[in-house]
């Protein structure tokens, strides 16, 4: 499984595990809808199901006939195929699951017809797709032309110069329901609602996303400001901004190197492998957080037998504390926490890497969320306002810096919607509280991230499950031997965490664990 | 909005034109009706011998909310067009008259049908503001959307009765669209510039207009009869009155909005209901 798909997928498999292969009783859409969709989309399709309050973006309100992912012109209704595609594939980057594997063809087609009954618009309009030709071949000049038009038609106003969703208008965007909406981070194609192929991207540029600020660009072709081919170039350029969906591996490998990178942008990092660690909102303990900004961190690690160095890279459109994003923060807090008065205090961005205080024997691990009273965890805690410290965690609200001389060095940099953080320390230190880092042993590691401009702090942020940091042994000739059982365990642990969270919120549908 | 006298005059002209065009059924040739067949296509449905008229003023009582400055520093092109600083003022009062009130015949026309004017109505984006701020258009009539700024604007219409659209104009250009159903009112916004907002009123007939800078309006070339006239303001909601006009008569109607009405329900298009 992949990326965010990992966490969400795990959540989902818990969520739909009880789905029957085919609901034979009623072959009509309503029964299936009431069973599988109403909890999010509401009984009458108004997007106000019992679980909706916890979501941003919120479940679609079908009564308006506004569908985002279509092949029809801006403002028009979707075709039946458009609706079916979204039911089949789901909408990556949101809570909308794909149903292809869980519901039969007949059931999904019945659903399409049933969804249409929620909006009177479908009574007398028969939408038809926009027509266009195929893409030109991809080449260097083409991508350069695509970039030129990306700048010229000012996609960057919303999506940012580097495409990370940090354009000057990004903090002010709202959808048709007046809810805050992010300009998609174009460097994470796996989160595109309508898919990440060049064809899908082109279709979005032609049709726009109804109900969202993302406009259609088709009129630029009609007005002869640009050709269809040039719009294809923009789509190809956007496609080129994102790597393919990253594979999630449970082990972050720290290679043994002769010279350790010494700074955050040390060119030596280029040669060091990157591992993608997906993050999800913290929904295990109160107060929970369902709308995290950071949905993944790229981790790199290396050691030279004396010291270990980590580089963590993640996208966050706002360098917090940030007055320009204050309005955004207020809006997010008022939607997600209607009963809470947002403070006036500007919050910082933060990231914490969590380890046990000693490398566990066997598969035992401390309590996942910043440790427990009798079972502390060792933390590398960074904050955009104050640098990094080593700390001991005995629970989310019991984190204390470790005293005494520290060997930790750190550096961070923010540019164009991206944080890069460098952390390095001695493998072995004199203090018993500071984890003794050994080579050749899997060391449990988890990551927490907070975006201050999104109102995140404390328990309200993004978390990963346990991963492992593994330092190559100096003498090892089979460099990358790793206990398979540990890998399996991480996956199982992930399930347990999400399952617990599902149960705790009670908003996640059928009780998991019935399989 | 912090308008100079010249801008106010320009607005009077602009809103005057929009009334004239929206009331194109009258067949009064205007300067921009250069299109030869305009009067024919929008030929009078009311004989000139009987055509009646409703005129009036919208006045304002109380204190208008203070204008708020708009930060256009991100958009030098627009900031330059507002040498005294751009301001947002939704309550435009001059000499006691309230501008930007949409006034229209809500009922009384029976099942008469009216030709679609062939002259378009223009919605311009100039200095990162919509000109006009409120406009009247007829079903099927062409809405010419113009970008005079040459920087990215997106035009995001959010109707509930019509199907909307959200299109982009990153350069000086024009695009046309139309609406197929009557609707009071359709909000228009630019997501790039959160402060930009306009409202479009759509009727199946030509008897709709927007009060000018002095609060005056007129609905010309009406068939004689009894009408319900409604006035809509974006902050103060709606009011209506019933008037009767005889053959070739002119009836006076006045509306008064006051600052006490802030917080009134401001109806936008009513969501369609399932049959």
């Amino acid at each position: 499984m992949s990326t965010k798909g990992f966490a969400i997928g795990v959540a989902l498999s818990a969520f739909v595990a009880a789905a029957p292969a085919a609901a034979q009783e009623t072959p009509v859409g309503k029964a299936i809808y009431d069973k599988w969709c109403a909890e999010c989309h509401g009984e009458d399709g108004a997007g106000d199901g019992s679980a909706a309050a916890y979501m941003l973006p919120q479940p679609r309100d079908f009564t308006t006939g506004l569908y985002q992912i279509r092949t029809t012109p801006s403002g028009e209704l979707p075709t039946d195929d458009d609706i079916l595609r979204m039911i089949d594939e789901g909408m990556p980057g949101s809570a909308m699951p794909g149903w292809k594997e869980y519901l039969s063809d007949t059931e999904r087609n019945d659903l399409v017809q049933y969804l249409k009954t929620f909006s009177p618009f479908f009574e007398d309009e028969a939408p038809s797709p926009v027509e266009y030709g195929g893409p030109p071949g991809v080449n260097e000049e083409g991508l350069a032309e695509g970039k030129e038009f990306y700048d010229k038609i000012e996609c960057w106003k919303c999506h940012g110069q580097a495409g990370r969703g940090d354009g000057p208008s990004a903090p002010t965007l709202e959808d048709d329901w007046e809810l805050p909406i992010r300009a998609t981070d174009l460097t994470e194609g796996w989160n595109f609602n309508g898919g990440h192929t060049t064809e899908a991207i082109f279709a979005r540029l032609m049709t726009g996303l109804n109900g969202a600020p993302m406009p259609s660009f088709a009129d630029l072709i009609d007005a002869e400001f640009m050709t269809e081919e040039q719009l294809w170039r923009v789509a190809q350029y956007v496609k080129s901004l994102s790597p393919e969906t990253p594979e999630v591996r449970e082990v972050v490998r720290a290679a043994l190197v002769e010279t350790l990178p010494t700074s955050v942008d040390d060119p030596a990092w280029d040669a060091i492998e990157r591992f993608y660690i997906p993050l999800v909102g913290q929904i295990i303990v109160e107060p929970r957080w369902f709308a995290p900004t950071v949905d993944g961190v790229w981790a790199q690690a290396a050691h030279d037998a004396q010291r270990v160095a980590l580089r963590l890279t993640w996208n966050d459109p706002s360098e917090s504390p940030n007055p320009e994003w204050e309005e955004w923060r207020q809006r997010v807090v008022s939607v997600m926490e209607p009963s809470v008065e947002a403070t006036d205090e500007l919050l910082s961005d933060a990231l914490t890497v969590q380890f046990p205080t000693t490398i566990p024997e066997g598969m035992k691990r401390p309590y996942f969320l910043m440790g427990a009273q009798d079972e502390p965890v060792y933390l590398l805690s960074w904050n955009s306002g104050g640098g990094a410290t080593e700390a001991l965690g005995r629970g989310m609200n019991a984190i204390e810096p470790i005293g005494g001389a520290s060997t930790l060095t750190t550096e961070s940099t923010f540019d164009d919607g991206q944080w890069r953080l460098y952390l390095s320390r001695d493998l072995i230190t004199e203090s018993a509280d500071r984890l003794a880092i050994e080579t050749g042993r899997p060391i449990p590691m988890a990551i927490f991230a907070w975006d201050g401009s999104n109102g995140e702090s404390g328990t309200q942020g993004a978390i990963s499950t346990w991963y492992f940091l593994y330092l190559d042994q100096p003498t090892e000739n089979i460099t990358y031997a790793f206990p398979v059982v540990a890998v399996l365990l991480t996956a199982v642990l992930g399930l347990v965490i999400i399952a617990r969270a599902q149960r705790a919120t009670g908003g996640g549908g059928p009780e998991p664990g019935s399989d | 909005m912090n308008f100079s006298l010249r801008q106010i005059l320009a607005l009077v002209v602009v809103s005057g034109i929009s009334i004239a065009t929206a009331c194109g059924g009258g067949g009064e040739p205007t300067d921009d009706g250069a299109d030869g067949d305009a009067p024919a296509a929008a030929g009078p449905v009311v004989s000139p011998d009987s055509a009646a008229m409703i005129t009036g003023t919208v006045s304002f009582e109380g204190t208008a909310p203070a204008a708020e400055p708009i930060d256009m520093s991100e958009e030098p092109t627009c900031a330059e067009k507002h040498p005294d600083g751009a301001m947002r003022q939704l309550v435009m009062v001059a000499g006691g008259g309230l501008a930007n009130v949409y006034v229209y015949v809500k009922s009384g026309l029976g099942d008469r049908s009216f030709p679609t004017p062939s002259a378009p109505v223009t919605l311009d984006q100039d200095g990162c503001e919509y000109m006009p701020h409120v406009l009247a258009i007829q079903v099927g009539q062409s809405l010419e959307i113009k970008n005079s700024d040459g920087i990215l604007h997106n035009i995001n219409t959010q109707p509930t009765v019509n199907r909307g659209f959200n299109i982009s104009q990153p350069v000086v250009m024009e695009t046309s669209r139309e609406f197929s159903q009557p609707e009071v009112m359709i909000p228009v916004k630019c997501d790039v510039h959160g402060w930009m907002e306009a409202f479009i009123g759509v009727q199946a007939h030509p008897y709709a207009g927007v009060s000018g800078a002095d609060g005056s309006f007129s609905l010309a070339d009406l068939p004689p009869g009894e009408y319900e006239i409604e006035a809509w303001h974006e902050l103060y909601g709606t009011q209506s009155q019933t008037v009767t006009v005889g053959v070739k008569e002119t009836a006076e109607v006045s509306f008064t909005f006051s600052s006490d009405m802030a917080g009134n329900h401001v109806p936008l298009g009513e969501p369609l209901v399932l049959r």
Side-chain angles (χ1 to χ4, degrees), chain A residues 150 154-161 163-175 179-188 191-193 209 212-215 293 315-317 325 328 331, chain B residues 191:
Chain A
Y150 179 93
E154 301 186 47
C155 307
W156 58 268
K157 282 260 169 77
C158 295
H159 292 285
Q161 298 286 359
R164 297 195 187 110
D166 61 331
S169 300
T172 65
L173 298 178
E174 60 180 28
D175 65 14
L179 296 170
I181 186 168
R182 292 269 187 203
T184 308
D185 180 345
L186 301 179
T187 68
E188 296 186 349
N191 284 333
F192 290 4
N193 288 174
L209 274 67
M214 170 74 189
T293 300
N315 291 358
D316 171 347
W325 283 81
W328 172 271
R331 287 192 295 142
Chain B
D191 296 287

Side-chain angles (χ1 to χ4, degrees), chain A residues 330-351:
Chain A
Q330 301 283 348
R331 287 192 295 142
V332 169
V333 171
S334 74
V335 174
M336 301 308 294
E337 307 262 86
S339 57
V340 174
E341 188 80 16
T343 58
D344 288 337
E345 188 194 345
L346 295 183
L347 303 172
S348 300
D349 291 333
L351 184 133

Side-chain angles (χ1 to χ4, degrees), chain B residues 57-220:
Chain B
T57 349
V58 185
S59 13
F60 182 76
E61 281 173 358
T63 328
E68 291 165 22
I70 303 172
D71 178 7
M72 289 194 191
S73 52
E74 293 274 359
E75 295 289 14
T77 319
C78 290
E80 277 163 23
K81 295 186 182 180
H82 303 274
D84 303 332
M87 302 294 281
R88 177 183 161 93
Q89 175 56 283
L90 304 181
V91 182
M92 302 256 295
V93 185
L98 180 61
N100 285 335
V101 176
Y102 178 73
V103 184
Y104 70 106
V105 171
K106 188 171 186 184
S107 63
L109 288 162
D111 52 8
R112 288 185 183 87
S113 64
F114 299 87
T116 308
S118 56
V121 176
T122 301
L123 177 65
D124 193 5
Q125 300 150 97
D126 194 6
C128 290
E129 285 180 330
Y130 288 112
M131 297 285 178
H133 178 62
V134 178
L135 68 79
I137 194 171
Q138 217 175 303
V139 165
Q141 188 176 10
S142 175
L143 174 69
E144 287 281 327
I145 304 162
K146 196 168 144 193
N147 180 348
S148 300
D149 287 330
I151 54 159
L152 176 71
H153 290 300
N154 72 309
I155 303 92
N156 188 352
T157 56
Q158 302 183 310
T160 52
V161 181
N162 283 275
R163 296 301 296 177
F165 52 84
N166 178 6
I167 56 178
S168 59
Q169 289 191 331
V171 286
V172 171
M173 62 184 279
E174 281 182 29
T175 313
S176 52
R177 284 290 190 280
E178 57 186 49
F179 298 100
S180 64
Q181 303 294 326
E183 180 161 1
V184 179
M185 304 283 286
I186 301 177
V188 183
K189 68 170 185 173
C190 171
D191 296 287
V192 184
H193 310 108
W195 62 84
M196 289 176 70
E197 194 170 30
F199 294 93
I200 302 177
V202 191
Q203 297 301 330
H205 58 72
Y207 309 111
V210 179
S211 64
D214 59 354
S216 68
F217 64 89
S218 74
L219 307 171

